[in-house]
Amino acid sequence: SQQGEEDPQALSIQEGENATMNCSYKTSINNLQWYRQNSGRGLVHLILIRSNEREKHSGRLRVTLDTSKKSSSLLITASRAADTASYFCAEETSGSRLTFGEGTQLTVNP
Amino acid sequence: DTEVTQTPKHLVMGMTNKKSLKCEQHMGHRAMYWYKQKAKKPPELMFVYSYEKLSINESVPSRFSPECPNSSLLNLHLHALQPEDSALYLCASSPTVGAGEQYFGPGTRLTVT
């Protein structure tokens, strides 16, 4: 499978700061999703943005999508120590396959 | 109930053993998935079941054999595994294939010795 790239690979910030993670993908998508994973656990769905949408908000999360650049970004505002986790973007393509990016490890220091 | 459960949480098996992983959901979802995740890597899709029928097999070796006995249950039968098969195996479900959000279980940590 053609996995997308995420940057940065690791991000360390202080509580209260904003965290921005970027994702690039390779194919035409139906939608792009963001998931969170605490160490060694299952993934939790955060937000989905469809290919005809450009921006979406959910609580402290803001996702943008640029289909011309095949890229997306996830912004977490006013971060908390509990936001410490790995964050993955996932492109859903025809055939309903989810292909995950390499992930960003976010550490929020109290 | 919005939970996907997986058993066992941890499994250690020898290369000649036969074991099974189990996944269960009671959300009425008709699509279920198996993923494999190696340490510090993203999950990789293995199998997709839609309405209890196998719809996607991502060229997974035959030592992994999936089974969907009913709409709530998904099994992964393991036989003659290799040490490189050690990984976190994640099950997920969604209302239908292509419905967007997938609900993941906590995973089974498999170690092959």
Side-chain angles (χ1 to χ4, degrees):
Chain A
S1 61
Q2 296 275 316
Q3 287 172 333
E5 298 178 2
E6 287 186 55
D7 77 272
Q9 288 187 344
L11 180 61
S12 181
I13 59 174
Q14 296 299 124
E15 239 180 353
E17 294 180 341
N18 296 341
T20 299
M21 288 160 264
N22 302 297
C23 165
S24 61
Y25 58 91
K26 300 180 190 297
T27 60
S28 296
I29 59 170
N30 295 334
N31 62 66
L32 191 126
Q33 302 176 37
W34 286 88
Y35 286 83
R36 162 199 168 123
Q37 184 178 36
N38 288 84
S39 180
R41 305 292 293 166
L43 283 79
V44 174
H45 183 267
L46 295 176
I47 195 165
L48 179 154
I49 186 164
R50 302 194 185 283
S51 59
N52 60 353
E53 296 176 311
R54 293 296 166 258
E55 187 170 313
K56 202 161 182 181
H57 297 253
S58 176
R60 293 185 296 115
L61 306 179
R62 172 179 168 252
V63 168
T64 61
L65 180 66
D66 186 335
T67 52
S68 66
K69 295 180 180 176
K70 290 189 165 58
S71 68
S72 175
S73 68
L74 172 68
L75 168 68
I76 304 174
T77 60
S79 63
R80 306 165 182 168
D83 294 328
T84 295
S86 293
Y87 291 81
F88 294 95
C89 66
E91 51 186 281
E92 183 176 312
T93 59
S94 60
S96 301
R97 285 173 170 78
L98 266 192
T99 303
F100 287 85
E102 291 294 316
T104 294
Q105 173 59 51
L106 173 66
T107 302
V108 181
N109 301 299
Chain B
D1 183 359
T2 58
E3 193 178 17
V4 175
T5 60
Q6 289 187 246
T7 55
K9 285 187 171 51
H10 301 274
L11 178 61
V12 179
M13 61 185 289
M15 291 188 284
T16 58
N17 290 160
K18 283 185 182 182
K19 296 286 185 183
S20 296
L21 309 185
K22 180 179 169 181
C23 172
E24 195 164 3
Q25 56 88 15
H26 295 286
M27 294 178 278
H29 290 174
R30 304 311 297 270
M32 296 185 78
Y33 311 81
W34 280 115
Y35 290 86
K36 173 182 177 179
Q37 186 178 26
K38 303 282 277 183
K40 297 192 185 302
K41 301 296 285 182
E44 291 186 347
L45 182 65
M46 300 175 72
F47 302 104
V48 179
Y49 272 84
S50 177
Y51 290 87
E52 294 98 69
K53 288 188 176 7
L54 183 64
S55 63
I56 295 175
N57 175 344
E58 293 285 48
S59 303
V60 179
S62 60
R63 56 187 185 269
F64 295 90
S65 175
E67 179 197 18
C68 190
N70 61 56
S71 60
S72 301
L73 275 176
L74 186 66
N75 298 320
L76 186 62
H77 303 298
L78 314 172
H79 174 54
L81 294 193
Q82 304 296 309
E84 59 264 29
D85 296 322
S86 298
L88 182 68
Y89 288 84
L90 294 161
C91 173
S93 71
S94 63
T96 57
V97 165
E101 174 182 357
Q102 293 184 15
Y103 295 73
F104 281 80
T108 293
R109 175 75 60 191
L110 174 67
T111 303
V112 182
T113 61

